[in-house]
Amino acid sequence: LNEAELILRSQAGEWEAFELLLEQYREVLTRTAYLTARDRDAVPDIMQEALVQVWRSLPSYRSFGSFKAWLIQIVLNQARKYYRRKRLETMPLENAIEVPGDVSGPEEALIQKEDVQRLRQALKVLSTDHREVLILRYYADLTVPEIAKALGCREGTVKSRLSRALDGLEGALSAERSHATGGGR
Amino acid sequence: MNKEELLKRYFNQEGARGELPLQQWKEILHMVKKQEQNRSRKASFTSFTAKPVLVALAAFVIAVAIGGVSLWAASPWDGGSGQTTTPSGDTEPGLVGDTGPEPVGDTEPGPVTSRGSCVEQYGPDTLSNRAFAFDGTVKSVEVRSDPKLPAGDQDVHWVTFTVNYWYKGGAGDEVGVWIEGLVLEDSTAIEEGARLLVSGEPRWGGAPLEDAIAWICGGFTRGYTNEEANLWADSLRR
């Protein structure tokens, strides 16, 4: 069954079709939830809330872009809500970001530990919307029009936000490098 | 390795730390299924539609008793209590039964949020409690900064509407409201040209349209249909 058929069957209330349909997006949805909420323990709750919303909204879903972008938008909203609540209730941003841990994966895909650390630090200084646009573009692999739909802004805004986010990241990385080498003094 | 490639690999690598294993994913889906089944059953008995249904049943019994003929039709507000009406008029599949509002977590005190409506069930009475309500067509969607919100989360969608009809709380041809999220529960996308029925509250209290935020949870803001518009008119005339 292709995706369109699975959507139709899910819309008709076939739970098995819904499971099959969503399974294809398990990786991208759960990872996006984690990257946005920045809390691994929150991912199951975020996903449960999001899946309920997907199931309830699906019968009247009308394609206005890619299905993946629609799903990601729902997950993103739930993850944001969680992140905002957590930050308001508990801790400053710096503490909300998890301590780095070992990640297993294909050797060639892994980047150096130092690079991970530098990027993590650099991403901390970006605003939430800049961070989100980077996640949607460079992790979820959404196109600019899809991101515009998901974030509810114009494509031009997405482009400028991406550009500013990358510039901000570059600046933060340079500052990191400078700091690490004792430069700029 | 360029910046973009580095970011891709970083997010991929970091994201893997949050990926749910298949087994856990299936457990979550199972919980969602159970939740929706229970909700569906519960909705049959306890949603606010029980009231009109009981009234209709009583009318039916009376009609039968006097030998008349009574045709019972489900209350159009059924859609409000949960069964989302699709553009074609179909209802959600049996398992769902109800998109009606169940608290989804925004019960903490604080400013009104778009989803605050989840703590209140959508229906004629609760709709009439809203500070403002109108039929409007989206003129523009932009992201604006609300300085009253916490730093880093101040960017929220600001949607400007051309107002077709004011039910409550305002006047004039145009109005702007905050909206968190751009897909409604009935899957209507909030985009230029979309015609919606919108209701909500002033986010921080005050006059109806002071920092007005549309409630998107539970159906308090939804795609326009003539049928719904008539129901809103009835409800908000009370």
Side-chain angles (χ1 to χ4, degrees):
Chain A
L1 290 178
N2 63 30
E3 181 173 285
E5 287 170 319
L6 286 173
I7 290 174
L8 280 174
R9 289 187 175 207
S10 301
Q11 287 181 314
E14 275 188 38
W15 185 263
E16 284 175 5
F18 181 69
E19 286 192 354
L20 280 173
L21 177 66
L22 270 289
E23 166 56 24
Q24 302 171 51
Y25 295 103
R26 175 174 60 92
E27 181 182 309
V28 72
L29 295 181
T30 57
R31 290 184 180 199
T32 301
Y34 168 67
L35 289 168
T36 308
R38 310 178 207 187
D39 182 351
R40 191 166 22 189
D41 294 338
V43 175
D45 286 345
I46 291 168
M47 288 315 306
Q48 188 172 343
E49 296 281 2
L51 292 177
V52 165
Q53 199 182 342
V54 169
W55 173 253
R56 291 180 189 173
S57 302
L58 198 52
S60 46
Y61 164 78
R62 295 192 307 272
S63 177
F64 62 93
S66 79
F67 185 63
K68 177 183 169 186
W70 184 74
L71 289 175
I72 284 178
Q73 180 177 20
I74 290 173
V75 170
L76 191 68
N77 284 339
Q78 291 296 337
R80 272 180 188 159
K81 195 165 75 172
Y82 172 85
Y83 176 63
R84 185 180 307 159
R85 188 163 60 224
K86 178 179 174 179
R87 213 177 55 168
L88 282 174
E89 285 174 359
T90 56
M91 56 185 74
L93 177 62
E94 295 73 32
N95 298 339
I97 297 170
E98 287 193 357
V99 176
D102 290 334
V103 178
S104 56
E107 195 67 33
E108 66 277 13
L110 293 179
I111 55 177
Q112 296 298 313
K113 206 169 182 177
E114 303 81 61
D115 285 333
V116 170
Q117 191 57 37
R118 285 194 307 120
L119 272 168
R120 185 179 285 117
Q121 291 300 325
L123 284 164
K124 277 185 190 178
V125 305
L126 296 187
S127 64
T128 303
D129 55 344
H130 281 181
R131 186 184 160 91
E132 277 179 7
V133 83
L134 291 178
I135 293 169
L136 295 181
R137 182 71 193 95
Y138 296 110
Y139 171 65
D141 209 25
L142 297 187
T143 62
V144 168
E146 285 172 340
I147 296 172
K149 283 280 187 191
L151 296 178
C153 53
R154 293 192 179 90
E155 290 180 25
T157 307
V158 173
K159 286 177 189 166
S160 67
R161 210 178 276 184
L162 269 172
S163 169
R164 273 185 273 136
L166 286 171
D167 287 347
L169 195 66
E170 181 64 47
L173 285 172
S174 300
E176 278 282 318
R177 272 194 295 269
S178 172
H179 180 71
T181 58
R185 291 180 185 174
Chain B
M1 195 187 304
N2 65 28
K3 228 173 4 188
E4 286 88 349
E5 185 58 29
L6 192 65
L7 263 176
K8 279 184 183 178
R9 292 194 180 191
Y10 169 79
F11 283 139
N12 213 38
Q13 198 165 314
E14 283 289 275
R17 291 155 42 76
E19 184 181 326
L20 295 182
L22 184 59
Q23 187 54 37
Q24 199 176 357
W25 172 265
K26 287 188 169 172
E27 283 166 14
I28 290 171
L29 274 167
H30 182 68
M31 282 192 286
V32 171
K33 184 180 180 183
K34 283 281 202 189
Q35 181 182 332
E36 293 306 292
Q37 282 173 331
N38 289 337
R39 186 183 180 84
S40 188
R41 281 188 215 109
K42 197 173 148 192
S44 305
F45 298 101
T46 62
S47 76
F48 83 92
T49 55
K51 198 159 54 178
V53 167
L54 286 175
V55 170
L57 278 173
F60 179 76
V61 168
I62 291 166
V64 168
I66 62 172
V69 176
S70 174
L71 289 175
W72 177 81
S75 162
W77 280 99
D78 285 356
S81 76
Q83 291 185 332
T84 303
T85 304
T86 63
S88 62
D90 297 326
T91 52
E92 289 187 15
L95 184 57
V96 181
D98 187 9
T99 58
E102 195 173 84
V104 187
D106 268 337
T107 52
E108 72 270 21
V112 174
T113 69
S114 306
R115 299 186 178 274
S117 50
C118 284
V119 300
E120 212 172 313
Q121 290 194 332
Y122 172 77
D125 294 335
T126 50
L127 177 60
S128 64
N129 289 338
R130 301 286 65 80
F132 66 86
F134 62 88
D135 155 12
T137 303
V138 177
K139 185 179 178 189
S140 65
V141 180
E142 57 190 298
V143 176
R144 282 194 188 178
S145 189
D146 182 351
K148 293 176 186 167
L149 291 172
D153 284 318
Q154 295 178 339
D155 288 350
V156 187
H157 299 114
W158 176 262
V159 182
T160 304
F161 288 89
T162 302
V163 179
N164 305 310
Y165 183 77
W166 276 106
Y167 296 107
K168 185 178 181 182
D173 297 335
E174 200 171 291
V175 67
V177 299
W178 299 106
I179 297 186
E180 291 176 348
L182 292 176
V183 180
L184 301 175
E185 288 194 355
D186 61 4
S187 289
T188 302
I190 300 178
E191 56 193 355
E192 285 181 22
R195 187 172 180 184
L196 309 176
L197 294 167
V198 184
S199 68
E201 298 282 328
R203 186 168 199 148
W204 310 96
L209 296 174
E210 197 175 324
D211 267 324
I213 183 160
W215 280 18
I216 61 171
C217 191
F220 285 92
T221 292
R222 51 175 59 214
Y224 178 93
T225 63
N226 286 332
E227 188 188 13
E228 284 294 334
N230 289 336
L231 292 168
W232 279 45
D234 287 345
S235 170
L236 292 158
R237 242 199 320 261
R238 294 174 182 185

